[in-house]
Amino acid sequence: MSLVVQKYGGSSLADADSIKRVARRIVDTRKAGNQVCVVVSAMGDTTDELLELSAQVSPDPPDRELDMLLTAGERMSMALLSMAIADLGDSARSYTGSQAGVITDDAHGHARIIDVTPGRIQTALSEGHIVIVAGFQGVSQASKEITTLGRGGSDTTAVALAAALKADVCEIYTDVDGIFTADPRIVPTARKVDRISNEEMQEMAASGAKVLMLRCVEYARRFGVPIHVRSSFSHREGTWVVESNSEEEGAMEDPIIAGVAHDRSEAKITVVGVVDSPGKAAEIFKAVASEQINIDMIVQNVSALETGTTDVSFTLPKTDGQRAVHTLRAAQEMIGFESLQYDDQIGKVSLVGSGMRSNPGVSATLFQALADNGINIEMISTSEIRVSVVTRDDQLDDAVRAIHTAFGLDSAGGEAVVYGGTGR
Amino acid sequence: MSLVVQKYGGSSLADADSIKRVARRIVDTRKAGNQVCVVVSAMGDTTDELLELSAQVSPDPPDRELDMLLTAGERMSMALLSMAIADLGDSARSYTGSQAGVITDDAHGHARIIDVTPGRIQTALSEGHIVIVAGFQGVSQASKEITTLGRGGSDTTAVALAAALKADVCEIYTDVDGIFTADPRIVPTARKVDRISNEEMQEMAASGAKVLMLRCVEYARRFGVPIHVRSSFSHREGTWVVESNSEEEGAMEDPIIAGVAHDRSEAKITVVGVVDSPGKAAEIFKAVASEQINIDMIVQNVSALETGTTDVSFTLPKTDGQRAVHTLRAAQEMIGFESLQYDDQIGKVSLVGSGMRSNPGVSATLFQALADNGINIEMISTSEIRVSVVTRDDQLDDAVRAIHTAFGLDSAGGEAVVYGGTGR
């Protein structure tokens, strides 16, 4: 008997009919001979409605109480899903994050899972029940307070439970068919990827691909949990996110490119006229880091000979932009720079693929494709399996399409371009 | 410093503005130098909305999952109330029934409190926090399952916490000014009672008075918790429900009558033509009791000489009526009776007062008042401090008014009639 962990998001649980449809799917999985543990998000708009209620009573509610409020959302969806399963004649039991043994640190609103002790879940599964667990929530280890995991929390709950239960697969149900070579809303010819390494998926998620959150992929990679991303609206196979098999990796059949990700969530800050002396960059980023702000890309221009100063640009989440600007302004005299430029009209496009590790020329092809389409490159950053460039926001969609086409990823575009191999 | 337990019902927490108003009231109580522990129900229509959702996914949801669903209601109201208090600059922490140590049996949907272990509440209070606790819910002792307490559960939670915390008072906030001598919707001249013994309150609640549920009064009486029933919409004193002081009880100032209660929730079953032999009544009520149905009043006619049979009538909750009829039909041959009559067009009016214990003539005055108003009495039952009669449903309001007037309870009606005393 296999043990399957399934996760259904809010869009799959929008109303009573959706819940019944999901219940049918779960019962089918059970009837096929599997043990089933299901992780749910809150129904459709519930979380937004709860946030709206909290805004009505307080503009700045305490994190502890906000967690208490928001965790009501999954409580409702999990109980309703259990009822719908019972109505189909099967037996389901719902458990809160706390009851399921999801132990976190005490960072309300963005807690991290530090342990999973799924004793009650294992007992319920062994008794033949389908188990429904509230995603996105846990209980803090020391103070036993209710916590929420923040963005991507339900996916992470599913992967963490799959790891703790040694499940055979963690199925993440969503409203798309799987992972695509690019966002189909921007690239209509984007293709569904059947299989992607979790190393590649990690870069895709870090580069803005929204289907799976980065922390969930990181967790799956660390604990070796196979993820199957698929649609709750069809029975088609989705995308398998699996451990990269180093033996297979170089196989001729492997496509070099996994996909093109894009990200509109970042802004760029340029620190103009920084004295070009050792330690200046460190001072800038120490100031920003003191505000718990994550920096993404960094570019430092060559120092201008006549002035002895340079410009340093970096990208960061737009939501942290104003805070970073304030922090740097406050430190202007100490650091010593002329001015700050804040630009939130940028976009980032990233090409990801473990095949590029051993294939020179990938960057050149990418830059050429952008040049051919009149797209200016403002910043560049690369890793072993990724090339990212920053463009103007209004040129980002064109950039995504140009790169997607240049690497032969379009579904109607024939074979993928392959470097150092003979087939896709 | 006093320790005050306050309980606010759903109508006091209907929306964000109501929650803010209640928060202000709680903060005022805290600022007056009290420790404050607040028990809340779910907001306004939340419970009905959740029940509607559950009905959409299953006509007959499992009790365990229904409890899981419904307990989301208080979770929302308690978190929102905590936020509103924080917004006023005070510090509040909300706790679920389980966190607050409300330990119950495992009867989902109508669990009974078997212990209260309020360690976390006491710690939070001693740290200076205002504590908000979810009413109506607990956790089962053996299986650690989430339970709900059923009707009157939030009031009972408040009284149970007040007992466990040794609170100075348990304030039950509602949308009326307190306990009245009769339902003001039926008797516009009904007066608020300043003080009532919990013995009297217990009879009032058992006889249909809706402001306090019977189980809450029973709990308060057993543990000696003083209850103050008052309006959340005014600052007027309400009604104190206190231990009857036997020394004071006979004092001349004590009114003999506490009030008139009525009840439309019962039906009457008459078992016609029962053989009048020993043990027959026992067989009837054994059959009904096997279905966990509570019987209220019982009347057995004098046996008809020519047939040797008699009729037995009893009242029971309308909601159990059809089940009782089916059970008796099934046992008809075994018990031996001619036919069954089911009548749900009845009402019950009760006069309650500890003074009537030592005052003969109360029943006679009551029967005369009904006779004077052309109201036929179908059944009679009495206790030491109560007289109840069953009438036609459509004569019940008239009966309540007639009795209220006959005993001088009308606010514009001058002095109350007093038996064996000289006071009001």
Side-chain angles (χ1 to χ4, degrees):
Chain A
M1 197 178 337
S2 290
L3 171 49
V4 178
V5 172
Q6 300 186 330
K7 181 261 171 178
Y8 294 91
S11 60
S12 303
L13 302 164
D15 53 26
D17 284 339
S18 313
I19 288 173
K20 288 193 216 176
R21 197 171 41 74
V22 166
R24 164 61 61 195
R25 186 163 199 133
I26 292 167
V27 168
D28 287 347
T29 308
R30 174 86 187 110
K31 285 206 195 311
N34 303 290
Q35 288 186 318
V36 190
C37 173
V38 178
V39 174
V40 294
S41 302
M43 288 171 71
D45 303 325
T46 306
T47 302
D48 288 341
E49 288 164 13
L50 292 174
L51 285 171
E52 167 61 24
L53 269 175
S54 93
Q56 286 174 18
V57 298
S58 170
D60 183 25
D63 291 340
R64 178 190 187 277
E65 301 303 325
L66 198 55
D67 279 358
M68 192 62 95
L69 179 70
L70 294 181
T71 48
E74 295 85 36
R75 195 180 192 89
M76 290 185 261
S77 56
M78 73 184 194
L80 291 167
L81 183 55
S82 292
M83 292 174 187
I85 291 171
D87 199 51
L88 295 172
D90 221 316
S91 164
R93 323 202 93 200
S94 65
Y95 294 91
T96 65
S98 171
Q99 291 176 327
V102 179
I103 314 292
T104 73
D105 61 21
D106 56 5
H108 286 292
H110 49 94
R112 297 198 71 81
I113 296 175
I114 53 183
D115 196 9
V116 180
T117 54
R120 286 181 77 167
I121 305 302
Q122 284 164 322
T123 302
L125 286 171
S126 70
E127 289 170 357
H129 301 292
I130 293 168
V131 167
I132 317 290
V133 176
F136 180 69
Q137 57 178 251
V139 64
S140 68
Q141 191 163 42
S143 53
K144 307 285 176 227
E145 297 284 5
I146 302 302
T147 54
T148 64
L149 309 180
R151 290 186 65 200
S154 290
D155 288 0
T156 308
T157 303
V159 170
L161 271 171
L165 294 169
K166 303 193 189 346
D168 296 277
V169 58
C170 179
E171 297 184 337
I172 306 279
Y173 284 91
T174 176
D175 50 4
V176 294
D177 277 337
I179 310 293
F180 279 71
T181 51
D183 185 337
R185 286 168 299 187
I186 294 178
V187 185
T189 54
R191 290 178 312 188
K192 194 197 74 189
V193 178
D194 293 333
R195 193 171 172 282
I196 187 171
S197 75
N198 47 28
E199 183 188 21
E200 289 168 322
M201 192 63 234
Q202 202 169 330
E203 289 279 7
M204 290 283 281
S207 302
K210 299 236 163 38
V211 180
L212 282 184
M213 293 294 291
L214 179 58
R215 63 191 297 197
C216 148
V217 184
E218 286 174 345
Y219 205 110
R221 189 178 177 187
R222 192 173 328 132
F223 290 93
V225 176
I227 295 180
H228 186 188
V229 181
R230 57 194 307 194
S231 169
S232 67
F233 298 91
S234 82
H235 281 83
R236 282 194 289 277
E237 283 272 304
T239 300
W240 284 84
V241 184
V242 289
E243 283 186 273
S244 47
N245 184 325
S246 52
E247 274 184 55
E248 271 184 34
E249 209 179 321
M252 313 253 275
E253 291 76 28
D254 267 8
I256 167 176
I257 299 301
V260 183
H262 71 280
D263 190 353
R264 280 197 159 83
S265 70
E266 296 192 342
K268 181 173 71 168
I269 289 177
T270 302
V271 188
V272 179
V274 183
V275 177
D276 194 4
S277 66
K280 278 300 160 197
E283 282 177 21
I284 291 171
F285 295 112
K286 224 183 321 184
V288 177
S290 71
E291 287 289 306
Q292 312 292 328
I293 294 168
N294 286 319
I295 301 296
D296 181 17
M297 296 164 72
I298 299 175
V299 170
Q300 180 168 346
N301 290 348
V302 176
S303 178
L305 278 178
E306 58 272 26
T307 60
T309 64
T310 185
D311 300 343
V312 176
S313 295
F314 61 90
T315 62
L316 75 176
K318 274 180 191 167
T319 48
D320 292 329
Q322 291 308 319
R323 211 147 44 90
V325 167
H326 285 304
T327 303
L328 286 172
R329 286 246 163 81
Q332 181 162 7
E333 205 165 329
M334 189 267 287
I335 298 171
F337 60 85
E338 282 167 29
S339 63
L340 285 179
Q341 288 170 0
Y342 180 73
D343 179 359
D344 60 4
Q345 304 295 307
I346 62 162
K348 184 175 74 168
V349 57
S350 301
L351 183 71
V352 173
S354 52
M356 69 172 72
R357 209 190 307 260
S358 51
N359 288 283
V362 167
S363 296
T365 304
L366 187 151
F367 299 154
Q368 189 61 49
L370 295 180
D372 290 348
N373 285 272
I375 296 162
N376 193 41
I377 296 174
E378 303 192 7
M379 298 172 88
I380 298 172
S381 125
T382 60
S383 79
E384 278 224 317
I385 65 166
R386 177 183 51 79
V387 183
S388 300
V389 302
V390 167
T391 69
R392 282 294 89 200
D393 184 16
D394 58 9
Q395 290 190 307
L396 183 63
D397 290 0
D398 286 341
V400 172
R401 283 187 285 262
I403 295 171
H404 198 265
T405 302
F407 286 88
L409 298 171
D410 295 344
S411 54
E415 295 299 293
V417 175
V418 175
Y419 294 73
T422 57
R424 76 180 177 96
Chain B
M1 193 178 339
S2 290
L3 171 49
V4 178
V5 172
Q6 299 186 329
K7 181 261 171 178
Y8 294 92
S11 60
S12 303
L13 303 165
D15 53 27
D17 285 339
S18 312
I19 288 172
K20 288 193 216 177
R21 194 170 44 73
V22 166
R24 164 62 60 197
R25 186 162 201 135
I26 293 167
V27 168
D28 287 347
T29 309
R30 174 89 186 107
K31 285 206 196 311
N34 302 291
Q35 288 186 317
V36 190
C37 174
V38 178
V39 174
V40 294
S41 303
M43 290 171 70
D45 303 325
T46 306
T47 301
D48 287 340
E49 287 163 14
L50 292 174
L51 285 172
E52 167 60 25
L53 270 174
S54 94
Q56 285 174 18
V57 298
S58 170
D60 184 23
D63 291 340
R64 177 189 188 276
E65 302 303 324
L66 197 56
D67 278 359
M68 192 62 96
L69 179 70
L70 293 180
T71 48
E74 295 85 36
R75 194 179 193 92
M76 291 186 259
S77 57
M78 74 184 194
L80 291 166
L81 183 56
S82 291
M83 293 175 186
I85 290 171
D87 199 51
L88 295 172
D90 222 314
S91 164
R93 324 204 91 200
S94 65
Y95 295 91
T96 65
S98 171
Q99 290 177 329
V102 179
I103 315 293
T104 72
D105 61 20
D106 56 6
H108 286 291
H110 50 94
R112 297 198 71 83
I113 296 176
I114 53 182
D115 197 9
V116 180
T117 55
R120 289 182 76 168
I121 305 304
Q122 284 164 324
T123 302
L125 287 171
S126 69
E127 288 170 358
H129 301 293
I130 292 168
V131 167
I132 317 289
V133 175
F136 182 68
Q137 56 176 250
V139 63
S140 68
Q141 192 163 41
S143 52
K144 308 288 178 222
E145 297 283 6
I146 303 301
T147 53
T148 65
L149 309 181
R151 290 187 66 197
S154 290
D155 288 0
T156 308
T157 303
V159 170
L161 271 171
L165 295 168
K166 302 193 192 344
D168 296 277
V169 59
C170 180
E171 297 183 339
I172 306 279
Y173 284 90
T174 176
D175 51 4
V176 294
D177 276 336
I179 310 293
F180 279 72
T181 50
D183 185 335
R185 286 168 298 186
I186 293 178
V187 185
T189 54
R191 292 177 313 188
K192 195 197 74 189
V193 178
D194 294 331
R195 191 171 173 281
I196 186 171
S197 74
N198 46 28
E199 182 188 22
E200 288 168 323
M201 191 64 233
Q202 202 170 329
E203 289 277 8
M204 290 284 280
S207 303
K210 299 236 161 35
V211 180
L212 283 183
M213 293 292 292
L214 179 59
R215 63 190 295 195
C216 148
V217 184
E218 285 174 344
Y219 205 110
R221 188 179 179 187
R222 192 172 329 134
F223 290 94
V225 176
I227 296 180
H228 186 186
V229 181
R230 55 195 307 194
S231 169
S232 68
F233 299 92
S234 83
H235 281 83
R236 281 194 289 278
E237 283 272 303
T239 301
W240 285 84
V241 184
V242 290
E243 283 186 274
S244 48
N245 184 324
S246 52
E247 274 184 56
E248 270 185 34
E249 208 181 322
M252 314 255 276
E253 290 77 27
D254 267 8
I256 167 175
I257 299 301
V260 183
H262 70 280
D263 190 349
R264 282 198 158 81
S265 69
E266 296 191 342
K268 181 173 73 169
I269 290 177
T270 303
V271 187
V272 180
V274 183
V275 178
D276 195 4
S277 65
K280 278 301 157 194
E283 281 177 22
I284 291 170
F285 296 111
K286 224 181 323 182
V288 176
S290 71
E291 287 289 304
Q292 312 291 326
I293 295 168
N294 286 320
I295 300 297
D296 181 17
M297 295 164 71
I298 300 175
V299 171
Q300 181 170 344
N301 290 348
V302 175
S303 177
L305 276 179
E306 60 272 27
T307 62
T309 65
T310 184
D311 300 343
V312 177
S313 294
F314 61 91
T315 63
L316 77 174
K318 275 180 189 167
T319 47
D320 293 329
Q322 291 309 320
R323 209 148 44 91
V325 168
H326 285 304
T327 303
L328 286 172
R329 285 247 163 80
Q332 180 163 6
E333 204 165 331
M334 190 266 287
I335 300 171
F337 60 84
E338 281 166 30
S339 62
L340 286 179
Q341 288 171 2
Y342 180 72
D343 179 359
D344 60 5
Q345 303 296 307
I346 63 163
K348 183 175 75 169
V349 56
S350 301
L351 182 72
V352 174
S354 53
M356 71 173 70
R357 211 190 304 261
S358 50
N359 288 282
V362 168
S363 297
T365 304
L366 188 150
F367 300 153
Q368 189 63 48
L370 295 180
D372 289 348
N373 284 273
I375 296 162
N376 193 41
I377 297 173
E378 304 193 4
M379 298 172 88
I380 300 171
S381 126
T382 61
S383 80
E384 277 224 319
I385 65 166
R386 177 184 50 78
V387 182
S388 301
V389 303
V390 167
T391 70
R392 282 293 90 200
D393 183 17
D394 58 11
Q395 290 191 307
L396 183 63
D397 290 358
D398 286 341
V400 172
R401 283 188 285 264
I403 295 170
H404 198 266
T405 301
F407 285 88
L409 298 171
D410 295 344
S411 54
E415 296 296 293
V417 176
V418 175
Y419 293 73
T422 58
R424 77 181 179 92

